[in-house]
Every structure is written in structure tokens, then in C-alpha cells.
Amino acid sequence: MFEPSDAPRVFATPLGVDFTSALIEGVEARLDGQPPEALARVEIYVNTARMQRRLTAQFAERQASFLPRIRPVTDLAARPDMAGLPPAMSPLRLRLQLSQLIAKLLDQRPDLAPRAALYPLADSLADLMGEMQEERVTPEAVQRLDVAEHAQHWQRSQAFLSIVAPFFAGEDSLTVEARHSAVVDRLAKAWQSVPPTHPIIVAGSTGSRGATARFMRAVAALPQGAVVLPGLDGDMPEEVWAGLLHGRAVGLGGEDHPQFRLGKFAESLGLAPKAIPEWSGTPPAHPRRNRLISLALRPAPVTDQWREEGPKLGDLSPAVADMSLIEAPTPQAEAVAIALRLRKAAETGQRAALISPDRTLTRQVTAALDRWGILPDDSAGQPLSLTAAGRLLRHVAELLSARPTAEALLVLLKHPLTHSAREDRGAHLLRARDLELQILRGGGPYPERGDLLDWAAKRETDSGAVAWASWVSDLLLSVHGTEAVSLADHVARHLTLAEALAAGPGADGAGDLWAREDGQAVQRLMQAVVADADAGGMLSPSEYRDLIGAVLDDAEARNPVRPHVRIMIWGALEARVQGADLLILAGLNEGVWPAAPGADPWLNRAMRAEAGLRLPDRQIGLSAHDFQQAVAAREVWLSRAKRDAETETVPSRWVNRLVNLMEGTGPEARATLAEMRARGQEWLAMAEALGTPEAPVPPAPRPAPRPPVTARPNRLSVTQIEKLVRDPYAIYAQKVLRLRPLDPLRQAPDARLRGTALHAMLRSFVEITRDGLPADAEALFTRLADAALRQEVPWPVARRLWQARLARVAPWFVATERARRAFAVPHRLEFSAELLIKDKSFTLTGTADRLDLTPEGALAIYDYKTGAVPSADQERFFNKQLWLEAMMARGGAFGEVTEVARIAYIGLGSGGTVLSHDATPDEIDQIAAEFETLLAHYADAANGYTSRRAMAELRYAGDYDHLARYGEWDETTAPTAEEVGA
């Protein structure tokens, strides 16, 4: 296939060439005239499994009678023909072993890291160890680093790095990376003495990893071996190549350039990058665009060459005629514009690919395409943790580690795989939904067996409800624990519970849990966990939950639905060696593409360079090469959003360079750039039009329903009067329509619960101290607070927090309580009463938190607030609760005592506050007159109940805002009174 040569045999394809097509053309050209079986002797190593599939498909499309042997380079680690070399341990086993070693270290030195970081630390150490093995960096080399300026950080790092040393000691426990390196070294050594006679080609790799680069060098030296590099820049001058490779500090520069790795590989073989021949004669799509991009991406020290060489590029219109620049205002607009272009590609039969490392953006594009029934072929697949089976296993693992909340229980019961493959699944779902309504109507945050059985017993028409509730209770409510057990026991218990939940009550098997493709993938993964469970040691339920969640996150499943054959979503690596008629490079913002280098917890930049490990710039350089490859395609979109969800964005450095070069080259180039932007703007305008109604939609009327006077409420509490003033529509919905808001499914320790506990505690405190405050009143206050919170608040964290706040406010409360006792003595606590206003046929109800009696026989009315007391303006215009209670007292609602001496709000928030008034008869008369005016207003059939009339803060949502269609109008809209039926 190849002519004899003393020099290493290295070829390259130019930028803007479909790599796999060019590779096949080169192979066929070199086998021209040979028998068909010659192709079967060719062995081709490619960089990804996806390229393997595409290359195989393209060979098949050419109706080849034989196919070459095509393998990914990563399969070298699995070669069985290495006598004496044991198989590599699985990545999961390595992770488990490292986590056990790290756990022992943290037990001895808990100051090094929190226990919650156990698995992230294991992942990070595994990555570092794999990199060291690929680059032939030993632990001894790392230990010899100069760390004079990093002594403290280095001591912590050394404690962890000592863990990986045993994995370098021999070949008894090889990692995948270690075996890959060992196989490469053995092959290279064996080939030196007995080289293979059949052709071997390494295609598509850049040699960015040490072991892969060594394999490529070994193949290039074979009599029938060759390396085909993707996307070599043939337009970069030799002096720029020289400056790129040697002009900066050794090891600390140049790696962020797209051509650096290709140049370094060529240099390692003694070759000049400019002298590398082309693999095939396939011409690039746009040679002039290649020159433009090459100039734009010149290394930073020589960008002054733009001034001289930019004008020499000539007319750029042909070069960028098929390029569009999208500068969308938001990521949503960017996604819709891209979806529109992909839709057009699908209609016209173009092969189009979206390339972006931003998974959020690609999901938005996929969602936008769904409106036209287009499902793109997404190479990234879906994490197993997001599949139906993966979600169920994550929820069950959470159940094993913590007491189930109402939300967690319903999530499991309503999961699509729960009680699956049963004819009575409809009855199961009906019971689960009815149980949800029961919980939303005042159920507790943590379901109890007795509560479920009581609920089921009341379902008189559902004969199977009690058995179903018993099954739920026995299976799910008491399986959580805290005891550490072996990983094997955790997995067995986990799978048994998940399968029983999927099968349903009284059924064997696993229902549909493992039936579909995603379920089968999850089952295989769990079988792998079982196989390596002996390396897992003893784990607590929470540690097992974290482990399974991370394992499911790391694995992916392909979508079983057949995607569109011409619309793809690729990662940048896959785009490097695949071609399409249209490439859309999206998410081109700094921090996204290229991604910001992640923090290295072990070695800083200088130490990595000294040790010979990969620098963060290397990943940026690889991304830059992917960009340079893709931007040279036949038709290209460069797309970005000017801002994200939080702030303004910065264009990707490559887009910035291209724009700056074109703006500074001359008026013709600037005009060409303007045309690129104009083409992008056309699609953005279409995206905006897609979401714009054909005609302006007038705002909905602000509701102010006017029910008949006979249907209007004639009974309200003093607290509901404030609601009537601020949001009358809420009173209409609650009292006229008789609609009650549901409690939140995810119950939380909110202000209402805090108020319940606080009022219970203060009632006990006042009852106990009616005869006088004891000397240890503060301690009594704290003890009663602790008891009330234990009784009312099931959340330990909230309980501790509230206990601390009440302990801080105890001295203030006791001091002010002594002053209150000097003014009046406790009379009645939480006293409910009502006052009939005869001439209005209206009953006002209320519950006074506390009524004290002065020596003169007058009342002091107190109201407890868990937070701040109302401001003076709030009390004057809206919060009339105590004034109304004073009016009720004067009318005899609270007994024979009708004189009111004082009203006061006692706020226990922010260190304690009191808002007090010595009420006068004139003030109470004024409140009574204002209240009668309010009643008269709503007794008039012409007046409606306006929504959100005077909210305390507009950002607060009301319970009935959705019913009032709030959002289709705002507070500036005038209310529209409308008669409604009773």
C-alpha cells in the first residue's frame, strides 16, 4: 500500500475537508489495481466509536466487497493478545478502591476535606492518576517538584497523592490508562523486531494524549504504517510555526493554539509541519476562508501581521458568502433561530449538524424542533440518571437513606414504572392521586402508616384501598436507616425494593423496570456494580445514595426513538472527523466554548508543566482546533447569545479575533462582515416573528366580579378584613366560590408553622406564670420553646435555628413581660368571639391571642407576631386587626369588660419589637365608622371584588392569582366590574 521510506510516514488532510470521505479516497487510491481482498488486510485505528461507525457506513455505501478492520484507539487497552498482562480493572472498581482509601485517610485526618467530598475526590484522583500513567509521570517525579511557594497546599495534596502510589508499583491492578500505556509500549517494542506486514493507519487523532502519541509514532515508523492528521493548517508560514513551537517559555505557552498539538507531534518525529504531505487530493471547501481563519487565529505575539497580511486576502465575499453570524439577544432566541435553520435543512434534504458544548442550549434547540416533529440525532445521548429506570433507582436510593417525605412518597407512587405491567395500574394511579389530594388538604410532611390506613378505610367504595395502603406502608415508609453495611448488601436491598415497587402488590418479577432499552442499560450498569461490590467496603445509606447517583450520571443511554437521519447534534470532538452540508457552531461565548479550565485541587499550572502533565491550555487548544475544523466547512453558522440568564456575555476569543480582523482590514471586509450579521439577523427576525402574534393581543380585563348581594359574605374574621382591603378577589374566591388553596406538596418550615409553635409556647408560658414571673423566667421561656418546637416542627435544622432565635429574644421578652404585668394581668388566652353588626347583617369574628385586665377593669389586647410588627402606615391603612378587636370588645364580644385601655403587637423577630397604643373611645369610634363604610361599599351590588387592589408588595403571589389570570394584566390596568352568578 505504501512505498518504502526511511522517514516516518505522516499525512494530513486540509481544513474544510470531510475527513472520513477523504480518508476513504486516500485508501482506495493507494489500493488501486490491487485485488479486493487487499482492503480486508488494512487495519485502521480511529479516535472515536462514532467515527468507527461512520467510516464503516461510508465504506458500505461504496459497495466494497470487503471492509477494513476499523477499531477505536481506546480499544488498545482491551487487546487480549498481551501475554502476562492482566486485564484492566473497571473504572468503577478503581473509583471504589480510591474512595475506600480516601475514607480511611479522612477518618485519620478529618481536617483535609469534608466527608461529603469523598466521591468527587475519588474521581479527581482517578483522573490525575490516569493522566500520569498516560504521560509516563511517576509519583516520585511529582514528589520531587519544587513547592517552596506552595508548602501548605502541597502538604494536603501529598496526603492524597500518596494514595495513588501503590497503583504504579506493578501490573497486578492495572487501570484502563495504565494498561493502554503498557499495550502501546509492548506493541512498539514488538514491532521494532517483527513489524506487521499489513497496512496500519491511525486516523483522526491529534496526539494530545501521551500514550496515543506514542502509538501514533510507533505506527508511523512501520514499513506499512501511516498516520493521518486531521485539519492541518497549510496556510500558516514556517516562521509562525517555529514561533508557535519554540518562541515561548518551554511548557507554559502555545498550547492554546489550534495547531500546536499537530505541530508538536510532527516535531517529535523530526518532521516540519509545512512539509507534511496531503493524504488525498480532496480540495478544501473554501481555501480563501481557510487563509482568513488561519490569519485570525495566529498566535497572540504575531497578531500585528493582521495589518500587513489582512489586505492581501483580497475580496472576502466569496470566502464568507456561506457564513452567517448570529448575535442573539438571549439564549432562547438563539435556540429558536437555530431550530428554524435546522428545519429548513430537513425540508431541503441538507445534512446539518449543531455543534456546541452547551448542553442547555442543545436541549433548548431539541425542544424547539419538537414543534415540527423533528428529533435530532444527539450523539451525547441521555444520562442514565434521567431515564425512567434511572430516576426510579435514584428515588429508591434516596428512600433508603432518609425518612420519606410526602413529596418523595408521591414521586415514587406516581412514577411511570411503579406498579407497571399490571392490569390494575389505573386503580393504583387513582389511589395515588387521591392520596395526593389528602396530603395537600392538611396532611403532615412525613406520612405515617396510621394516617394512610385511616385514609384508606374511609374509601368505602374502594375495596382494595386498605390492602394497597398496607402495601405502600410496609414497602416504603420504614426502609430508611443509618447503619453502614457492605456495598453488596446495599445493592441487593436497593434492587429488591425497586423491583417490588415496579411489580406491584403481591406480584413477582420486576414489572417493566428492565423491559425497555434504558432499563436494560441501567440493569447492566447495576450488574457491573454488583461485580465490583467487593471493592466498595462499608457504606452508610447516604454514601450509597451518592455513589449510585454519581454512577448513573456517568453512564449514558441512546434514545430508542429513531431520530432524523440528516439533523444531528455533535460534540466538538465528533465534528472534527465528520462532515455535513451545514455546520452550526453555537454557544460561542467565553466560558462555554472554549470552556473555562476547571480548578485543579492537586497541582497548579507551574507544577504541572514541571512534572510533564497536561496543561489547562491543552484543552483550549483542542477546542480551538475543533473550531478551526468546523468553521472551514461548506456552510457555517457562528452563533452566540449576547447575554445569558444572569449577565452580559463575552464573545468567544475566536469569534472576537475574526470580527476584529475583518473590521480592521478595510471597508470591503467590514461590509462583508455586515452581510454576515445581516444574514443572521434575518433568522433572528424570523425567530422573533415565530413567537409574535399576528395582531396585538389586548391585556385581559382586571377582574372585579360583582356577585349578587345575597351571595356576598356576611361573616369575616378580623384577619380577613385586611385581605378584603388588600385583595378583595381572594375573599370573593374563598367565600363566594368556596375555593380553598391547597397546601404545598413540598412542605417546609414556613411562617405559619413558626406562628403555630410560637403561640403554643407563649400560651403555656403565660398559663404557668399567671401568678407572677419566676426568677428563672428566661430559662422557663427557653424550655417551653424547645418543647413546643419539638412538638410542632419535624425538621431538625429549622427547629435548631428557631430555638437559637428564641433563646436570643428570651431576655427581651421577659423584660417587656414584666412591664406588661405591671400594667395588667393575664385574663384570657386565645379567646374566640364574634360581634353581630345588626344594621349591616354582618358578623365579625376574631381570636384574641391574649387579653389582660388592668387594675381599673379595662382590657389590654395583645397580638403575637413571629416576625416584624406592622409599620405605622400599614396599621393606619390596612392592618386593623387589633383595632377591630378593640371594637369587638367595646361591643361586648369578649365578655362583660367593654373598656379597652391598650392594644399592642408583640413581635419576636429581629430581637423583639412592640407596637403599642393606648386606645381611646374616639379612635375606636373612627375605626367603627371606617368599618361600616367598608361594609356598605361591598353591600352595594355595583361594587366588585378587585384583584390585587393594594398588595403589600407586588412580588408576593396571592393564592388566587392564577384564577384571576394575573400576568395577562398588571396593576396599572383599571378593574372591570362584571356581574357573576351566585
Side-chain angles (χ1 to χ4, degrees):
M1 183 173 183
F2 299 110
E3 296 295 329
S5 173
D6 295 332
R9 197 176 287 105
V10 178
F11 302 90
T13 60
L15 294 161
V17 168
D18 184 339
F19 182 81
T20 53
S21 298
L23 179 66
I24 293 175
E25 290 174 2
V27 169
E28 291 180 341
R30 286 168 176 78
L31 292 177
D32 186 36
Q34 298 190 34
E37 62 269 19
L39 183 60
R41 300 181 62 249
V42 177
E43 191 172 5
I44 303 176
Y45 286 91
V46 296
N47 62 335
T48 64
R50 192 176 184 94
M51 182 182 173
Q52 178 189 26
R53 292 192 296 270
R54 176 164 166 76
L55 199 58
T56 301
Q58 285 188 307
F59 268 114
E61 287 173 1
R62 293 172 179 253
Q63 298 180 346
S65 56
F66 294 92
L67 292 177
R69 289 171 286 176
I70 306 172
R71 301 186 178 94
V73 173
T74 52
D75 281 4
L76 286 172
R79 283 184 68 125
D81 57 340
M82 291 286 137
L85 195 62
M89 72 172 74
S90 69
L92 176 60
R93 175 173 286 272
L94 172 63
R95 182 180 191 177
L96 292 173
Q97 290 184 0
L98 288 175
S99 65
Q100 292 303 302
L101 295 173
I102 293 172
K104 293 178 182 179
L105 178 61
L106 294 183
D107 290 340
Q108 298 171 359
R109 297 183 58 184
D111 60 304
L112 291 176
R115 186 85 180 188
L118 184 63
Y119 296 109
L121 284 172
D123 279 343
S124 181
L125 270 181
D127 291 341
L128 176 63
M129 186 172 68
E131 185 179 345
M132 292 170 63
Q133 290 166 337
E134 287 180 337
E135 305 298 330
R136 287 178 169 173
V137 176
T138 64
E140 292 76 19
V142 175
Q143 291 173 355
R144 291 194 297 267
L145 295 176
D146 181 9
V147 294
E149 298 180 0
H150 314 281
Q152 186 176 1
H153 170 75
W154 182 239
Q155 289 176 1
R156 290 194 298 268
S157 297
Q158 283 283 54
F160 288 103
L161 291 174
S162 62
I163 292 175
V164 306
F167 291 91
F168 290 79
E171 296 181 347
D172 294 334
S173 56
L174 289 176
T175 66
V176 172
E177 294 84 0
R179 196 176 198 278
H180 180 79
S181 292
V183 169
V184 167
D185 294 342
R186 288 195 178 193
L187 282 176
K189 185 176 180 180
W191 286 348
Q192 287 178 355
S193 56
V194 185
T197 57
H198 65 278
I200 299 179
I201 301 170
V202 181
S205 293
T206 60
S208 60
R209 296 180 177 271
T212 303
R214 295 197 300 274
F215 178 67
M216 292 164 64
R217 287 195 290 269
V219 170
L222 292 175
Q224 286 297 308
V227 171
V228 184
L229 301 176
L232 185 69
D233 187 353
D235 296 303
M236 197 158 65
E238 291 186 2
E239 61 273 15
V240 177
W241 276 109
L244 173 66
L245 299 176
H246 306 292
R248 301 186 185 184
V250 176
L252 292 179
E255 294 210 18
D256 60 346
H257 191 273
Q259 297 293 314
F260 180 82
R261 298 313 309 169
L262 300 180
K264 273 294 183 184
F265 176 76
E267 187 183 51
S268 69
L269 292 174
L271 302 174
K274 289 286 289 184
I276 294 178
E278 289 190 12
W279 170 252
S280 68
T282 306
H286 294 284
R288 187 172 295 183
R289 187 195 300 171
N290 287 357
R291 291 196 293 272
L292 171 65
I293 300 300
S294 175
L295 180 58
L297 300 182
R298 291 277 172 90
V302 296
T303 49
D304 59 310
Q305 297 173 354
W306 288 1
R307 293 183 178 179
E308 178 183 353
E309 298 189 26
K312 296 180 182 178
L313 293 173
D315 183 10
L316 294 178
S317 298
V320 298
D322 293 326
M323 288 183 70
S324 300
L325 179 58
I326 306 293
E327 294 174 315
T330 64
Q332 291 78 14
E334 180 184 13
V336 174
I338 292 171
L340 284 169
R341 183 64 184 90
L342 292 176
R343 178 198 179 191
K344 180 180 178 182
E347 291 175 344
T348 58
Q350 278 185 299
R351 177 178 167 87
L354 168 62
I355 306 169
S356 179
D358 187 347
R359 294 298 299 162
T360 300
L361 177 62
T362 59
R363 285 194 291 268
Q364 288 176 326
V365 173
T366 301
L369 286 170
D370 186 59
R371 74 173 68 189
W372 302 298
I374 298 173
L375 178 65
D377 184 3
D378 192 343
S379 64
Q382 184 182 34
L384 284 183
S385 59
L386 299 182
T387 63
R391 292 197 312 273
L392 182 64
L393 260 64
R394 284 195 296 112
H395 296 323
V396 172
E398 181 69 34
L399 187 74
L400 292 171
S401 66
R403 182 184 178 188
T405 63
E407 179 189 24
L409 177 64
L410 289 171
V411 164
L412 280 167
L413 292 179
K414 298 175 72 175
H415 192 282
L417 291 177
T418 297
H419 206 287
S420 56
R422 291 281 299 270
E423 294 181 355
D424 60 342
R425 175 165 165 79
H428 162 80
L429 290 177
L430 178 61
R431 291 168 185 146
R433 289 163 185 161
D434 289 349
L435 178 61
E436 180 178 8
L437 287 177
Q438 170 70 16
I439 293 172
L440 293 175
R441 291 295 188 189
Y446 295 101
E448 300 287 348
R449 177 185 176 86
D451 296 335
L452 264 65
L453 293 179
D454 289 345
W455 164 82
K458 296 176 183 177
R459 296 174 62 86
E460 298 177 356
T461 60
D462 187 356
S463 59
V466 173
W468 181 85
S470 298
W471 171 72
V472 171
S473 303
D474 296 339
L475 188 67
L476 302 177
L477 293 189
S478 58
V479 295
H480 60 282
T482 58
E483 183 181 357
V485 299
S486 68
L487 176 56
D489 290 341
H490 273 303
V491 175
R493 188 182 182 196
H494 186 192
L495 294 180
T496 298
L497 181 57
E499 291 177 348
L501 188 63
D508 297 327
D512 288 340
L513 180 58
W514 316 123
R516 290 184 286 271
E517 290 186 24
D518 62 325
Q520 294 167 10
V522 172
Q523 186 180 32
R524 289 192 296 270
L525 183 65
M526 295 305 295
Q527 290 170 349
V529 175
V530 171
D532 292 327
D534 59 296
M538 305 293 287
L539 302 175
S540 68
S542 59
E543 290 173 339
Y544 173 76
R545 173 201 62 203
D546 295 342
L547 171 65
I548 290 301
V551 169
L552 289 169
D553 278 338
D554 287 344
E556 293 179 349
R558 294 288 295 167
N559 192 329
V561 180
R562 183 176 177 85
H564 199 285
V565 295
R566 293 189 180 90
I567 307 300
M568 286 80 62
I569 296 178
W570 289 340
L573 175 62
E574 292 157 328
R576 182 193 306 170
V577 291
Q578 299 192 82
D581 301 321
L582 167 67
L583 292 184
I584 299 177
L585 283 58
L588 284 167
N589 285 323
E590 281 295 308
V592 177
W593 195 3
D600 189 339
W602 313 114
L603 304 172
N604 62 23
R605 181 185 177 86
M607 294 164 68
R608 278 185 159 273
E610 184 179 348
L613 294 171
R614 298 192 284 267
L615 297 179
D617 289 353
R618 183 176 303 191
Q619 190 60 44
I620 295 178
L622 292 175
S623 293
H625 183 254
D626 296 334
F627 171 82
Q628 190 178 19
Q629 274 275 85
V631 80
R634 186 172 304 282
E635 183 181 354
V636 175
W637 267 30
L638 304 179
S639 177
R640 60 175 292 265
K642 293 182 179 179
R643 65 171 299 118
D644 56 20
E646 298 177 355
T647 185
E648 299 287 335
T649 58
V650 177
S652 170
R653 63 192 68 183
W654 310 312
V655 173
N656 219 13
R657 280 169 165 259
L658 178 61
V659 169
N660 289 341
L661 173 59
M662 296 182 71
E663 286 182 341
T665 296
E668 294 83 1
R670 283 194 293 272
T672 303
L673 177 62
E675 292 174 1
M676 290 171 55
R677 284 189 165 123
R679 286 192 289 270
Q681 192 58 43
E682 290 179 5
W683 287 96
L684 289 172
M686 283 190 280
E688 183 179 3
L690 190 63
T692 304
E694 294 182 0
V697 178
R702 184 178 189 171
R706 295 182 300 169
V709 173
T710 55
R712 300 191 180 200
N714 58 5
R715 183 186 182 91
L716 291 175
S717 69
V718 292
T719 55
Q720 288 170 339
I721 296 301
E722 180 184 359
K723 180 65 73 175
L724 181 63
V725 174
R726 289 191 178 277
D727 191 6
Y729 187 89
I731 296 298
Y732 162 76
Q734 184 177 3
K735 296 298 183 178
V736 179
L737 301 182
R738 295 187 177 92
L739 298 176
R740 283 177 49 201
L742 296 174
D743 294 328
L745 181 57
R746 179 179 294 182
Q747 298 186 40
D750 55 11
R752 183 175 64 176
L753 179 63
R754 186 164 64 246
T756 301
L758 177 65
H759 281 71
M761 181 271 294
L762 292 175
R763 182 178 63 249
S764 298
F765 180 85
V766 176
E767 287 282 7
I768 293 172
T769 62
R770 275 184 179 273
D771 297 333
L773 295 176
D776 64 340
E778 292 182 18
L780 175 63
F781 181 93
T782 303
R783 289 198 301 273
L784 292 176
D786 292 348
L789 291 174
R790 283 195 299 272
Q791 176 68 26
E792 300 289 344
V793 183
W795 292 275
V797 174
R799 188 165 59 240
R800 298 277 182 87
L801 180 62
W802 294 351
Q803 284 173 340
R805 290 178 178 176
L806 289 174
R808 288 196 298 269
V809 83
W812 171 88
F813 179 82
V814 171
T816 57
E817 181 67 12
R818 295 187 189 281
R820 283 187 289 276
R821 297 292 177 92
F823 179 77
V825 296
H827 176 52
R828 289 174 171 171
L829 304 178
E830 297 187 2
F831 185 76
S832 299
E834 60 183 45
L835 177 67
L836 175 62
I837 303 174
K838 295 181 179 179
D839 57 341
K840 301 295 182 183
S841 300
F842 187 90
T843 301
L844 180 64
T845 67
T847 300
D849 286 347
R850 174 174 169 182
L851 298 172
D852 283 13
L853 196 62
T854 68
E856 293 77 17
L859 289 176
I861 306 176
Y862 299 120
D863 186 70
Y864 298 124
K865 296 293 184 184
T866 59
V869 300
S871 67
D873 286 343
Q874 288 174 333
E875 187 190 28
R876 172 69 185 86
F877 295 105
F878 302 106
N879 198 323
K880 305 295 183 66
Q881 177 182 347
L882 284 181
W883 287 109
L884 291 172
E885 289 178 3
M887 184 186 75
M888 292 174 65
R890 195 177 67 172
F894 294 136
E896 68 280 359
V897 182
T898 58
E899 183 181 352
V900 178
R902 177 174 294 177
I903 60 174
Y905 293 101
I906 304 172
L908 275 72
S910 302
T913 313
V914 173
L915 177 64
S916 177
H917 296 284
D918 291 335
T920 65
D922 290 342
E923 289 176 310
I924 297 176
D925 288 341
Q926 181 182 354
I927 289 297
E930 292 175 354
F931 182 60
E932 290 186 2
T933 301
L934 180 67
L935 294 181
H937 176 83
Y938 285 103
D940 186 347
N943 296 321
Y945 291 81
T946 303
S947 179
R948 297 178 67 91
R949 174 183 171 274
M951 300 295 287
E953 292 190 28
L954 297 182
R955 63 189 176 93
Y956 287 166
D959 290 331
Y960 301 98
D961 282 351
H962 60 296
L963 187 66
R965 297 173 67 182
Y966 178 61
E968 299 180 28
W969 53 268
D970 58 30
E971 282 75 7
T972 64
T973 305
T976 303
E978 180 182 358
E979 291 187 11
V980 295

